[in-house]
């Protein structure tokens, strides 16, 4: 599986935007970029995913570099409830039976 | 949205006993479900892939006779931890993909089961 690299932790103030980076220099043409987050003592929650174009949904935006070797998850206004571990994961589109392989993710701390 | 229900959320059992964890997809059918384990301060580790009507595929280092997986229907998979020991204490999480959606569609996760073996 192609690997992703994320900072171990980031900190943000409440109501400010947060940009969570992810490097995936070995991404292949069939890999989608998925982001999940995990709140304490809960299962992971889907955030957003994309292939080549930037994506927006009610939770976040995903900005994908033109060469697809990196991406950034953008939380437009961080709230205390956004404090979680954020995982950037590549998922091969060619096989729907593939599981998600989780790395260490970025632990986001949001301070009031 | 798609919901995966996992039960129980917490269980405490004595060493040597067995514990069954259920994972249900409530509003979609899941040909494939995945079981993960997560130790404190660590990431999720894939244990096995569960396919409806067939044997599960286990990751290297996961004992298939200890972690019994049954996926008898398109909406239910179970994980049984047999002869549990304190080192099996962990957070177990299941996930599933809606078979009616494309390969790029997200996985849906249960809220996990905290197992404590005393």
């Amino acid at each position: 599986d192609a690997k992703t690299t994320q900072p171990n932790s980031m900190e943000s103030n409440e109501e400010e935007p947060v940009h969570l980076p992810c490097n995936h220099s070995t991404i292949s043409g069939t890999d989608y970029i998925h982001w999940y987050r995990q709140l304490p003592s809960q299962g992971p929650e889907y955030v957003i995913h994309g292939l080549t174009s930037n994506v927006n949904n009610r939770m976040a935006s995903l900005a994908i570099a033109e060469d697809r070797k990196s991406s950034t998850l953008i939380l437009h206004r961080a709230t205390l409830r956004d404090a979680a571990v954020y995982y950037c994961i590549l998922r091969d589109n060619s096989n729907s039976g593939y599981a998600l392989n989780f790395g260490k993710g970025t632990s986001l701390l949001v301070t009031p | 949205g798609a919901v995966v229900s996992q039960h129980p959320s917490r269980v405490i059992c004595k060493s040597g006993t067995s514990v069954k964890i259920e994972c249900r997809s409530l509003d979609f059918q899941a040909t494939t479900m995945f079981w993960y384990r997560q130790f404190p301060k660590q990431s999720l580790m894939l244990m096995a892939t569960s396919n409806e009507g067939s044997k599960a595929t286990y990751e290297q280092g996961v004992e298939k006779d200890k972690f019994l997986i049954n996926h008898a229907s398109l909406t239910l998979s179970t994980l049984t931890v047999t002869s549990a020991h304190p080192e099996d204490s962990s957070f177990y999480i299941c996930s599933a993909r809606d078979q009616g959606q494309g390969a790029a569609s997200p996985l849906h996760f249960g809220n996990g089961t905290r197992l404590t073996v005393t």
Side-chain angles (χ1 to χ4, degrees):
Chain A
D1 289 335
K3 209 177 157 184
T4 63
T5 305
Q6 300 177 252
N8 289 334
S9 62
M10 291 185 67
E11 193 169 334
S12 173
N13 293 322
E14 199 177 8
E15 298 191 6
E16 288 187 357
V18 182
H19 290 234
L20 297 166
C22 180
N23 286 320
H24 29 78
S25 58
T26 59
I27 191 170
S28 74
T30 53
D31 285 336
Y32 273 74
I33 302 159
H34 284 245
W35 283 81
Y36 287 75
R37 71 180 186 181
Q38 186 179 24
L39 278 65
S41 298
Q42 294 188 27
E45 173 188 29
Y46 165 77
V47 178
I48 201 166
H49 76 284
L51 184 63
T52 56
S53 303
N54 294 343
V55 185
N56 299 299
N57 66 20
R58 63 175 180 81
M59 288 182 71
S61 295
L62 177 59
I64 301 173
E66 201 168 326
D67 63 5
R68 301 216 315 133
K69 293 186 176 182
S70 65
S71 61
T72 302
L73 179 71
I74 302 165
L75 306 179
H76 296 285
R77 284 183 67 200
T79 69
L80 296 178
R81 288 183 296 175
D82 291 323
V85 178
Y86 287 78
Y87 298 98
C88 169
I89 305 169
L90 301 182
R91 186 146 188 249
D92 190 337
N93 187 38
S94 64
N95 187 331
S96 62
Y98 283 176
L100 292 172
N101 290 310
F102 286 80
K104 295 183 179 179
T106 296
S107 180
L108 175 65
L109 176 66
V110 181
T111 53
Chain B
V3 176
V4 173
S5 174
Q6 193 171 336
H7 179 81
S9 57
R10 281 180 186 276
V11 58
I12 301 172
C13 72
K14 293 192 174 178
S15 194
T17 61
S18 296
V19 171
K20 181 186 281 189
I21 302 169
E22 288 189 352
C23 179
R24 293 181 185 273
S25 55
L26 295 187
D27 50 1
F28 66 96
Q29 294 186 323
T31 308
T32 305
M33 290 187 176
F34 306 98
W35 287 95
Y36 291 85
R37 179 168 54 181
Q38 185 175 33
F39 293 107
K41 304 291 185 186
Q42 295 188 23
S43 188
L44 284 79
M45 186 176 69
L46 180 66
M47 297 176 67
T49 300
S50 163
N51 294 298
E52 186 264 337
S54 64
K55 289 184 179 179
T57 304
Y58 291 82
E59 295 298 301
Q60 194 171 7
V62 178
E63 299 174 56
K64 63 179 182 182
D65 295 329
K66 181 167 185 61
F67 299 99
L68 301 179
I69 292 173
N70 183 282
H71 192 159
S73 78
L74 287 172
T75 59
L76 174 64
S77 177
T78 61
L79 168 68
T80 301
V81 182
T82 63
S83 187
H85 289 284
E87 57 264 30
D88 298 323
S89 299
S90 189
F91 192 48
Y92 293 86
I93 307 167
C94 71
S95 72
R97 188 182 69 81
D98 186 343
Q99 70 166 9
Q101 299 193 356
S105 61
L107 291 186
H108 307 287
F109 287 82
N111 264 335
T113 297
R114 176 80 57 196
L115 170 63
T116 303
V117 185
T118 61

